[in-house]
Amino acid sequence: MKTFVTICSAVASHSVVRQDSYAVNGASLMGMFSLDLSKPLTVEIDDDRAAHYFRKWTIVDDSFDLDKQTPMNKD
């Protein structure tokens, strides 16, 4: 977690980590500790150029349309 927070602090973009309806600043170690890390998280970064720093933590759920952030219809 320390590496993740360090990267969030170092990049010029703003990062938000969401869990259900709760959101914290990705650069806040105290905020990150307030999350239940055993459950899925969503990271929002406002600069696509900084996204490559976070690739090692990326897990893509292909049941979701990432552009619309809604479940895809699998009928």
Side-chain angles (χ1 to χ4, degrees):
M1 181 180 340
K2 182 181 177 189
T3 302
F4 180 85
V5 171
T6 301
I7 291 171
C8 287
S9 298
V11 297
S13 60
H14 181 70
S15 58
V16 176
V17 180
R18 295 187 185 278
Q19 187 172 60
D20 299 322
S21 63
Y22 192 66
V24 298
N25 182 340
S28 168
L29 190 58
M30 292 299 288
M32 293 297 293
F33 275 119
S34 70
L35 299 172
D36 182 353
L37 300 179
S38 68
K39 295 182 180 177
L41 303 169
T42 301
V43 178
E44 298 172 1
I45 306 162
D46 66 0
D47 184 351
D48 290 338
R49 294 173 297 169
H52 71 277
Y53 291 110
F54 301 95
R55 293 272 186 242
K56 73 183 206 177
W57 294 289
T58 302
I59 300 172
V60 176
D61 180 350
D62 63 358
S63 67
F64 282 84
D65 182 338
L66 295 179
D67 293 328
K68 296 179 183 172
Q69 298 184 6
T70 57
M72 292 174 56
N73 190 356
K74 296 236 177 191
D75 294 332

